[in-house]
Amino acid sequence: MVTVYIHKPVISLKGAAVKGFMRLVGFKRNFTNRIKHNDFKTEPASFPKSFMDKFIVKIVEVHSRKVWEISPKSNASGLYVFYLHGGGYVHNISKQHWQFITKLIHHTGVTVVVPDYPLAPENTAKTSFLMVEEAYQNLLEKTLADKIILMGDSAGGGFSIALAQKFKRDNMPLPQQIILLSPFLDATMVNPEIKANEKKDPWLSVEGTQMAGKYWAGDLDVKNPLISPIYGSMEGLPQISVFVGGCDILLADNRKLKKLMEEKQLPFNYFEYPTMFHVWVLVTMLKEAKAALNQIANLISEKK
């Protein structure tokens, strides 16, 4: 019940250039320093200028936070993607998120619902779960759960699977499927295989990622499944699909999840791009991002 895809082509010129640029400007060092000093934007990035022309955008408030509902103006599929953005739980929605959402809607005709959930360290997972659960319940008032795809990248990927596990425990309707882009699965970062891959990662550091996880946990143990869903039960969840790069410190825990799903014979799709970095799928100009987006579109169309 586990399908594995390993991307074969060598890295594209643009992919190599982006990765080289990240190293040149010190993305990893900057990420760690900004985590230490809480130096991240708490406001979401503005929509691209063409956004309102291309889509129907509705905004509601849940717990005094925005929830965007972004729909195609024509050829809507009737499916909804409930999208939880990444950013280490401390950084808000970036322009790359909006660019990816634009491409996702064009490829699939889905409506994308994006909660602007409360961020750490001013808030913790407890506060954010309350807000996001209510936003999901509001969505259930307008559509069936089997028309909803739960999706998230990085920290939002970890949040997505932890949310699905909580829905299962609380007997709430589960989404049709879960699609995760470079998900943050274990805030402890104790997997011994992580260190071996840290040098390859041009963006994330173990130190910075651990700090972000502790901020998010607040007074909860970082091994609590709400914080680190790798320690929660995967049984009874809908099909999970993971996209991860080979130059990502989160690779080790994603491979651990793959092994766990194989052992339990649970429905799981694993897509590994060996030359790619953390959440490369959001860099939509890349050949490798386009390939992954096509695979995501296929996953969505297969479940219509």
Side-chain angles (χ1 to χ4, degrees):
M1 299 180 72
V2 172
T3 301
V4 176
Y5 169 87
I6 307 296
H7 194 66
K8 297 296 184 185
V10 296
I11 190 169
S12 65
L13 289 176
K14 285 183 179 179
V18 170
K19 196 157 65 169
F21 175 78
M22 292 167 78
R23 292 192 187 282
L24 181 66
V25 301
F27 258 53
K28 182 182 293 190
R29 181 181 62 254
N30 290 341
F31 166 75
T32 305
N33 288 337
R34 292 176 76 185
I35 288 279
K36 287 179 178 179
H37 298 100
N38 189 24
D39 182 26
F40 285 101
K41 291 182 179 179
T42 57
E43 292 299 315
S46 300
F47 292 147
K49 291 181 180 179
S50 60
F51 216 73
M52 300 301 288
D53 296 329
K54 293 179 179 178
F55 307 122
I56 300 167
V57 180
K58 298 177 183 178
I59 303 173
V60 298
E61 284 200 355
V62 175
H63 291 213
S64 300
R65 305 284 297 192
K66 289 181 180 179
V67 178
W68 293 273
E69 181 180 294
I70 306 154
S71 307
K73 288 190 172 180
S74 60
N75 301 317
S77 68
L79 298 176
Y80 289 79
V81 167
F82 192 81
Y83 193 94
L84 299 180
H85 70 85
Y89 300 119
V90 296
H91 194 290
N92 213 315
I93 300 164
S94 68
K95 66 178 182 179
Q96 286 78 21
H97 287 111
W98 295 132
Q99 289 167 355
F100 172 75
I101 286 168
T102 297
K103 296 291 186 182
L104 182 65
I105 295 172
H106 283 323
H107 274 67
T108 64
V110 296
T111 292
V112 183
V113 176
V114 187
D116 179 19
Y117 59 85
L119 299 171
E122 289 80 8
N123 299 277
T124 67
K126 288 181 180 179
T127 305
S128 296
F129 269 90
L130 288 173
M131 183 266 176
V132 168
E133 285 180 86
E134 186 169 325
Y136 183 83
Q137 288 172 333
N138 290 346
L139 182 56
L140 288 173
E141 292 178 4
K142 64 172 65 180
T143 192
L144 299 173
D146 65 5
K147 296 291 185 181
I148 301 173
I149 296 137
L150 184 56
M151 187 182 298
D153 69 276
S154 191
F159 195 174
S160 294
I161 201 163
L163 188 68
Q165 290 171 340
K166 190 172 187 302
F167 287 163
K168 177 66 178 174
R169 294 192 297 271
D170 294 345
N171 295 313
M172 278 189 64
L174 294 170
Q176 171 208 106
Q177 63 174 309
I178 303 167
I179 300 175
L180 309 173
L181 315 177
S182 307
F184 184 19
L185 301 170
D186 186 354
T188 71
M189 299 295 287
V190 295
N191 188 326
E193 295 180 19
I194 288 175
K195 278 291 184 182
N197 216 41
E198 187 174 19
K199 289 183 180 179
K200 294 182 183 179
D201 192 319
W203 187 348
L204 301 181
S205 68
V206 170
E207 181 186 10
T209 309
Q210 281 179 323
M211 289 175 63
K214 288 177 181 177
Y215 288 153
W216 179 243
D219 60 4
L220 295 175
D221 189 315
V222 288
K223 282 193 173 182
N224 187 308
L226 292 175
I227 309 302
S228 299
I230 197 77
Y231 299 106
S233 174
M234 305 295 168
E235 295 179 88
L237 297 183
Q239 175 183 280
I240 299 170
S241 301
V242 162
F243 291 78
V244 66
C247 300
D248 185 339
I249 60 172
L250 304 185
L251 174 67
D253 285 326
N254 280 270
R255 284 180 173 174
K256 181 179 176 180
L257 176 62
K258 177 175 79 72
K259 183 178 180 182
L260 184 155
M261 300 298 276
E262 287 171 335
E263 290 171 351
K264 293 185 177 292
Q265 298 185 348
L266 297 174
F268 186 72
N269 297 310
Y270 179 80
F271 300 84
E272 183 178 310
Y273 281 62
T275 61
M276 298 313 292
F277 47 87
H278 185 62
V279 293
W280 85 94
V281 187
L282 301 187
V283 188
T284 55
M285 68 175 181
L286 297 183
K287 181 179 179 180
E288 294 86 353
K290 293 173 183 177
L293 185 57
N294 285 333
Q295 290 167 324
I296 291 167
N298 288 337
L299 290 169
I300 291 172
S301 65
E302 285 169 4
K303 293 283 187 175
K304 279 186 181 179

